[in-house]
Amino acid sequence: MANLTFMNNTIFDHGASNQLGQVLAMHGIRRPLLCTDKGLVNLGMVTDLVAHLGNDAALTIFDGTPENPTQMAVEEAVAKYQEAGCDGVVALGGGSSMDLAKAVALAVTHEGDLLQYTAGLGGAGKIGTVAPLIAIPTTSGTGSEVSSGAVIIMNNGEKLILASRNLVPMTSICDPSLTLGLPPLLTAATGMDAVAHCVETFISPVINPPAEGIAIEGLRRAMAYIERAVADGTDREARWEMMMAAMMGAMSFQKGLGAVHAISHPLGGMQEPRLHHGTLNAVVMPAVLRFNANHVGDKYRRLKEAMGLDEGVDLPSFISEFNSKLGLPANLQEMGVPASVVPAMSAAAEVDHCNATNPRLASKADYEVLINEAMG
């Protein structure tokens, strides 16, 4: 069992979730709100988790986390938190449940509309101490268990970022066993989310060599094990390595992301069709890699080295082919994205905070070209 201290305290290994009761006691949480989704409840994962709590914690469950967390769902969870007199939050699930839990921990300790705390409106400085928060990921992709951000679809329809060091969970419990049996397509999509995080943070122009080192090592692990995890959902070693890669991708967020996320954020905020964040990242990555190619120095060579590729391999083409190999969609059109949304999505991508840390600053016109290329 590894006990890691970097962004927070992280307990990492197969079976780590058995320690939830001890972690709650350590933080003085006696009446936690568990933020999760109905799928995990139906799978029995919540029941299994509760079995390790003993009689010291009175658990209240909110299982209404949507695929892309919304401010409305946050408000519903906050009402449940307050009605039950909760004193802390536990997130169990993928990035959606963890992001929603962060927003709940913020909302129950801060006054006013959640919108005022978003990064684009200068809200980071307004975020003080939040309710005690524990994160237990059940996928290997977002790394939200160690990140300072949460992505929420606000009541005005915009998909915006809450970002503050205070939103990093106090303790993360990373148990790769919880990902055993995850369906192949979801394994691929979340795995490519981790890959995108490592790639984008590594090529970000922000100077932060330690974060680059973590990103490149996370990428090496992800590319070495993602195919094994997709092919065999019971491969314990592959699941361990993919969860570590996802965590490392999020650890490197200090460098900022780029145009891949600037595009996937507004697309992921659409009401119809509902689009998976990791799949979006995988599908738009080749176009963005081509766009950035002459603005990254020798970093593509170093990326290919970490991925085990020959120096002469065309990186964008490889990612396209790799997506196909994993069974992911070939383009945005295949995902159901209509051409009519391209202008609005391009405008939103230009003002997304991730555009500022892309190696090549992109305009609305650039994003129209990129999204149309990703449309196929």
Side-chain angles (χ1 to χ4, degrees), residues 115-124 160-163 353:
L115 186 66
Q116 68 181 299
Y117 299 103
T118 56
L121 295 177
L160 301 176
I161 309 292
L162 299 167
H353 72 288

Side-chain angles (χ1 to χ4, degrees), residues 187-200:
T187 299
T190 54
M192 287 304 292
D193 192 19
V195 168
H197 292 160
C198 292
V199 168
E200 284 222 287

Side-chain angles (χ1 to χ4, degrees), residues 92-367:
L92 174 71
S96 294
S97 291
M98 289 187 282
D99 283 5
L100 180 131
K102 291 179 183 182
V104 171
L106 168 63
V108 298
T109 52
H110 292 66
E111 295 182 351
D113 194 290
L114 204 60
L115 186 66
Q116 68 181 299
Y117 299 103
T118 56
L121 295 177
K126 301 176 185 177
I127 300 176
T129 301
V130 304
L133 174 63
I134 311 302
I136 309 172
T138 60
T139 62
S140 299
T142 69
S144 188
E145 67 272 11
V146 295
S147 80
S148 59
V151 183
I152 306 291
I153 301 174
M154 296 296 164
N155 288 338
N156 64 5
E158 294 183 272
K159 192 171 188 178
L160 301 176
I161 309 292
L162 299 167
S164 168
R165 194 73 169 80
N166 291 317
L167 293 178
V168 179
M170 297 171 70
T171 296
S172 297
I173 302 174
C174 293
D175 184 347
S177 296
L178 299 180
T179 68
L180 293 173
L182 202 67
L185 191 59
L186 188 56
T187 299
T190 54
M192 287 304 292
D193 192 19
V195 168
H197 292 160
C198 292
V199 168
E200 284 222 287
T201 53
F202 182 72
I203 65 175
S204 160
V206 175
I207 298 173
N208 191 329
E212 287 190 5
I214 294 170
I216 208 74
E217 173 61 11
L219 179 64
R220 184 193 68 77
R221 289 175 183 270
M223 294 303 298
Y225 289 92
I226 186 171
E227 289 183 89
R228 277 177 53 178
V230 170
D232 180 5
T234 65
D235 188 326
R236 290 171 63 85
E237 181 184 18
R239 293 298 189 182
W240 195 100
E241 292 288 352
M242 288 306 299
M243 184 163 277
M244 182 61 73
M247 187 179 71
M248 294 177 78
M251 284 179 173
S252 61
F253 279 177
Q254 322 313 312
K255 286 195 75 215
L257 293 161
V260 170
H261 281 76
I263 294 171
S264 66
H265 285 155
L267 284 171
M270 293 195 307
Q271 293 298 310
E272 190 65 36
R274 283 297 196 184
L275 302 169
H276 184 267
H277 177 70
T279 308
L280 282 170
N281 285 343
V283 169
V284 304
M285 199 180 343
V288 172
L289 287 172
R290 277 187 279 271
F291 178 77
N292 287 330
N294 296 324
H295 299 261
V296 295
D298 72 338
K299 286 186 175 180
Y300 281 11
R301 177 189 62 77
R302 295 162 67 189
L303 286 175
K304 286 185 281 189
E305 183 178 313
M307 296 165 76
L309 305 176
D310 293 336
E311 190 171 336
V313 169
D314 179 71
L315 189 58
S317 297
F318 171 81
I319 294 295
S320 293
E321 293 163 7
F322 195 67
N323 287 340
S324 176
K325 192 174 184 181
L326 295 176
L328 294 172
N331 51 55
L332 294 176
Q333 186 176 7
E334 193 174 309
M335 293 178 70
V337 177
S340 59
V341 305
V342 173
M345 295 298 104
S346 301
E350 183 184 23
V351 298
D352 188 274
H353 72 288
C354 291
N355 188 32
T357 46
N358 192 62
R360 178 183 176 188
L361 196 63
S363 66
K364 178 178 180 291
D366 291 325
Y367 277 115

